[in-house]
Amino acid sequence: DILSRLDQLPPEHQLRIAKALNALTKINQKEAAQRQFLPFVKSVWPDFIEGRHHRIMADAFERVSRGELKRLCINIAPRHGKSELTSYMLPAWLLGQDPSRKVICATHTTEFSQRFGRKVRNLIESDDFKAVFPETALKADSKAAGRWDVSGGGEYFACGVGAAMTGRGADLLIIDDPHSESAGINPTNEYFESVYEWYSSGPRQRLQPGGAIIIVMTRWGKKDLTGRLLAAQGSDIMADQWEVVEFPAILPSGNALWPEFWDKDALLGIKASLPAGKWAAQWQQE
């Protein structure tokens, strides 16, 4: 009733009401960013361009954060925001929610993984992050790019495929593109086998009771990590059971997956530049 008659109030009252509404909006935005993944992303990354597939990823990430989803595999075309959301935004958001979490993030090389570790670390130190999660902070004596601790006992550890993880535990294990592009274009059975053996004997064994695993990757063939895990799931009832989400760059309808960023003509131009036979494996996830 007051707002409907706002123009009838004295100017000083209008100003006070406007300030109160602005403060309420900020409180609501902060609470939404704490509970929901995409509102958090938008609060710390204003230039983020949201696509439909990001909303599907966000829903899965929120179920992981609530403990409802323990094994998630996302297969997605390159350059569609998978690493920025999964290896950059997600660890920061989860550590903000619970500073006692232990996170391991692995990619195809240690250098690439540490680059994300540095970005997550710097985000947690930023004013935008502190505006959402003021209680989460880095420990002063632990700020290396690929290995740091946060208040509350939480830890972050970055490594490359093949690296040892002795002494490390994980409430969340993120594996982002375990296969490099160069190896994926001309893979060998031995290469795929080595990645699977590393996963089985290394990071998979580092999981804490009740911990979750998220694998996000571009598909390269039936024997890549996703293929091996799904084969095991189908043949062994004791194997991890995965929720799989697949995003082709061009949908069966013929439309681009992320038209806000990639139009179809640009994607078809990339297709034409790929080696013969690699379009389906790399972009359409067949």
Side-chain angles (χ1 to χ4, degrees):
D1 183 54
I2 291 175
L3 294 178
S4 67
R5 296 183 291 111
L6 192 60
D7 59 345
Q8 302 174 23
L9 298 176
E12 62 271 19
H13 290 184
Q14 293 184 28
L15 180 60
R16 290 176 63 186
I17 291 174
K19 289 181 177 179
L21 289 174
N22 184 56
L24 180 61
T25 298
K26 289 183 178 180
I27 291 172
N28 290 338
Q29 290 174 339
K30 175 181 176 179
E31 292 179 348
Q34 290 175 339
R35 297 191 313 270
Q36 299 172 276
F37 182 66
L38 284 184
F40 167 75
V41 171
K42 294 172 184 177
S43 69
V44 299
W45 185 7
D47 294 332
F48 170 68
I49 301 174
E50 180 182 330
R52 183 182 67 167
H53 61 300
H54 298 139
R55 293 190 286 274
I56 296 172
M57 292 173 66
D59 174 76
F61 292 162
E62 288 168 11
R63 286 185 286 133
V64 170
S65 77
R66 295 192 297 265
E68 300 168 2
L69 179 58
K70 301 296 186 182
R71 301 292 183 271
L72 172 64
C73 185
I74 299 175
N75 299 327
I76 186 170
R79 306 300 299 166
H80 278 67
K82 67 179 185 299
S83 293
E84 293 298 308
L85 292 187
T86 309
S87 294
Y88 177 29
M89 292 290 156
L90 182 60
W93 183 61
L94 293 176
L95 288 169
Q97 287 184 326
D98 183 356
S100 70
R101 281 186 170 117
K102 301 182 188 301
V103 178
I104 293 177
C105 186
T107 65
H108 51 274
T109 66
T110 297
E111 186 277 332
F112 194 67
S113 185
Q114 289 182 346
R115 187 179 78 177
F116 278 112
R118 185 179 298 108
K119 291 179 68 173
V120 179
R121 179 199 65 188
N122 293 346
L123 177 58
I124 289 177
E125 289 191 305
S126 71
D127 292 338
D128 288 337
F129 180 89
K130 292 175 182 177
V132 179
F133 295 111
E135 302 302 320
T136 300
L138 297 178
K139 287 189 176 180
D141 60 347
S142 178
K143 294 187 178 183
R147 183 180 300 179
W148 40 264
D149 301 334
V150 297
S151 57
E155 300 176 355
Y156 178 97
F157 180 69
C159 66
V161 169
M165 300 181 181
T166 305
R168 294 284 166 179
D171 297 303
L172 174 65
L173 169 63
I174 296 173
I175 299 179
D176 181 358
D177 272 336
H179 308 295
S180 68
E181 183 173 343
S182 59
I185 290 176
N186 295 296
T188 64
N189 290 335
E190 291 77 14
Y191 169 73
F192 282 149
E193 184 65 28
S194 68
V195 173
Y196 182 70
E197 286 298 320
W198 167 80
Y199 167 81
S200 302
S201 61
R204 178 60 183 83
Q205 305 305 317
R206 298 290 96 202
L207 209 62
Q208 305 262 83
I213 305 173
I214 298 175
I215 297 176
V216 56
M217 59 178 286
T218 296
R219 291 299 307 274
W220 294 102
K222 293 182 178 180
K223 295 184 179 180
D224 62 15
L225 185 57
T226 292
R228 290 294 301 270
L229 293 174
L230 295 185
Q233 172 179 291
S235 61
D236 183 358
I237 61 173
M238 298 301 292
D240 288 337
Q241 301 298 301
W242 296 84
E243 178 172 318
V244 181
V245 180
E246 294 184 324
F247 297 115
I250 296 179
L251 300 168
S253 64
N255 297 321
L257 172 65
W258 192 13
E260 300 88 350
F261 188 80
W262 283 110
D263 61 38
K264 185 176 179 180
D265 289 342
L267 292 171
L268 291 174
I270 295 175
K271 172 185 176 181
S273 69
L274 290 173
K278 290 301 178 182
W279 169 254
Q282 183 168 347
W283 287 90
Q284 292 186 313
Q285 315 301 307
E286 293 179 353

